[in-house]
């Protein structure tokens, strides 16, 4: 029989992976991995402010991540710097500010390893419910904005020409990212959140023949990574958060194997045949 804490960890990890996968596809398509890192580092500042102001940690992390996203939009218009330079400034500044704020609270005893690398085995029933409810809301909103957001990813100019509100879709995407960062922090930690957004999506890209299929496969690979990582943690006792990311990395490496490439070619050939059938009179 599995222990209660392990079952809670499993449900929390599956809920997080199911949400991170589809959102991670847009991170990969838009080449925004550094943006994910920036929000993840901002999460530590949110945790520090939560302890300082004695407010809910998840709410504080969400607020700080959203503030950083809006700050990036504002600075892109006024600072005259490239996006990667601005992301570097915001990312490292938020991480440093978080550490400074924590260090000034001498009375506070914080598990920095848990914050940085997650502590999924300590999640409560409330945490699991928050992950699943928040994740379901994120997926529902993502489904509503999928078309304009994907169109803006492919060509913002063409999306605007077709009457789509690109600015609104991008803003909602940033809000969804802030929500995912907030609910995923306890599962894999500040430093590993981006890995769970990027690696399963990158693995899914090797096999998918369309954007929707890639989103579904990314969620599946994320869930498999969680199951393998927690299983390894139970058997050999490594830290759970890093074990989950290592499992995701192993799946990505396997996707590069000759057998996986053969499967990829066959799937691509079948997809091309299906497209040709669709164009035949």
């Amino acid at each position: 029989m599995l222990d209660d804490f392990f079952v809670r960890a499993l449900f929390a990890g599956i809920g997080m992976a199911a949400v991170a996968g589809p959102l991670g596809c847009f991170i990969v398509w838009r080449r925004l991995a550094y943006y994910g890192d920036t929000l993840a580092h901002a999460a530590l500042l949110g945790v520090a402010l939560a302890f300082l102001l004695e407010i809910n940690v998840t709410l504080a992390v969400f607020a700080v991540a959203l503030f950083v996203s809006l700050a990036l939009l504002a600075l892109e218009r006024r600072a005259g710097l490239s996006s990667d330079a601005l992301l570097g400034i915001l990312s490292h500044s938020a991480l440093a500010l978080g550490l400074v704020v924590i260090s000034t609270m001498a009375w506070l005893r914080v598990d920095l390893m848990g914050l940085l690398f997650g502590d999924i085995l300590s999640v409560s029933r409330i945490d699991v419910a928050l992950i699943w409810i928040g994740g379901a809301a994120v997926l529902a909103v993502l489904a509503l904005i999928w078309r304009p957001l994907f169109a803006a990813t492919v060509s913002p100019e063409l999306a605007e020409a077709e009457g789509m509100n690109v600015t609104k879709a991008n803003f909602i995407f940033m809000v969804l990212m802030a929500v995912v960062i907030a609910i995923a922090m306890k599962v894999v930690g500040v430093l590993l959140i981006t890995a769970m957004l990027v690696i399963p999506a990158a693995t899914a890209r090797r096999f998918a023949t369309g954007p929707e299929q890639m989103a579904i496969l990314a969620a599946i690979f994320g869930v498999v990574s969680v199951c393998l990582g927690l299983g390894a943690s139970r058997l050999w006792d490594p830290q759970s958060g890093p074990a989950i990311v290592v499992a995701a990395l192993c799946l990505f490496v396997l996707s590069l194997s000759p057998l996986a490439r053969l499967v990829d070619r066959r799937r691509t050939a079948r997809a091309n045949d299906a497209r040709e059938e669709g164009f035949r009179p």
Side-chain angles (χ1 to χ4, degrees):
M1 290 293 291
L2 296 177
D3 298 317
D4 287 344
F5 73 88
F6 188 83
V7 174
R8 290 196 299 270
L10 191 61
F11 274 99
I14 290 173
M16 181 274 299
V19 179
L23 274 180
C25 292
F26 285 97
I27 295 291
V28 171
W29 291 331
R30 295 184 170 207
R31 300 179 182 179
L32 290 177
Y34 204 7
Y35 172 67
D37 270 333
T38 301
L39 293 189
H41 290 170
L44 185 61
L45 176 58
V47 172
L49 293 178
F51 286 127
L52 182 65
L53 303 176
E54 297 183 354
I55 59 177
N56 181 268
V57 173
T58 302
L59 182 61
V61 170
F62 168 74
V64 171
L66 184 59
F67 173 78
V68 169
S69 298
L70 297 177
L72 175 63
L73 289 177
L75 289 172
E76 281 180 337
R77 297 176 181 176
R78 298 182 182 181
L81 293 173
S82 61
S83 296
D84 60 336
L86 292 173
L87 286 172
I89 293 171
L90 291 172
S91 174
H92 297 80
S93 298
L95 182 61
L97 280 172
L99 292 173
V100 168
V101 172
I102 289 176
S103 66
T104 59
M105 293 183 282
W107 67 91
L108 185 65
R109 294 294 178 266
V110 180
D111 179 15
L112 273 180
M113 289 295 289
L115 288 177
L116 296 177
F117 300 106
D119 191 10
I120 189 173
L121 296 179
S122 68
V123 295
S124 64
R125 287 186 175 88
I126 295 177
D127 294 326
V128 175
L130 180 63
I131 290 172
W132 277 85
I133 294 172
V138 167
L139 289 178
V141 175
L142 183 62
L144 290 175
I145 67 167
W146 180 274
R147 186 169 177 270
L149 186 61
F150 183 74
T153 301
V154 175
S155 174
E157 295 80 10
L158 184 59
E160 289 180 350
E162 292 182 357
M164 298 179 184
N165 194 332
V166 173
T167 302
K168 181 181 178 180
N170 288 335
F171 174 75
I172 295 176
F173 173 71
M174 288 184 171
V175 173
L176 297 182
M177 280 290 298
V179 172
V180 171
I181 295 296
I183 65 177
M185 183 186 64
K186 195 166 186 178
V187 177
V188 290
V190 171
L191 297 183
L192 303 179
I193 291 174
T194 309
M196 288 306 296
L197 286 166
V198 173
I199 298 177
T203 306
R205 194 172 190 174
R206 300 283 302 170
F207 303 101
T209 56
E212 291 82 6
Q213 188 183 64
M214 178 173 165
I216 294 172
L217 286 176
I220 292 173
F221 282 124
V223 169
V224 173
S225 300
V226 168
C227 295
L228 292 176
L230 285 176
S233 177
R234 185 177 178 85
L235 290 174
W236 299 299
D237 204 30
Q239 195 165 352
S240 301
I244 291 171
V245 175
V246 170
L249 174 62
C250 291
L251 291 178
F252 175 73
V253 172
L254 287 175
S255 73
L256 302 176
S257 66
L259 179 60
R261 285 199 296 268
L262 179 61
V263 173
D264 186 28
R265 290 194 194 99
R266 290 181 176 177
R267 291 176 66 89
T268 303
R270 285 198 297 267
N272 291 335
D273 291 341
R275 292 192 190 99
E276 290 176 4
E277 286 290 337
F279 285 112
R280 287 175 185 171

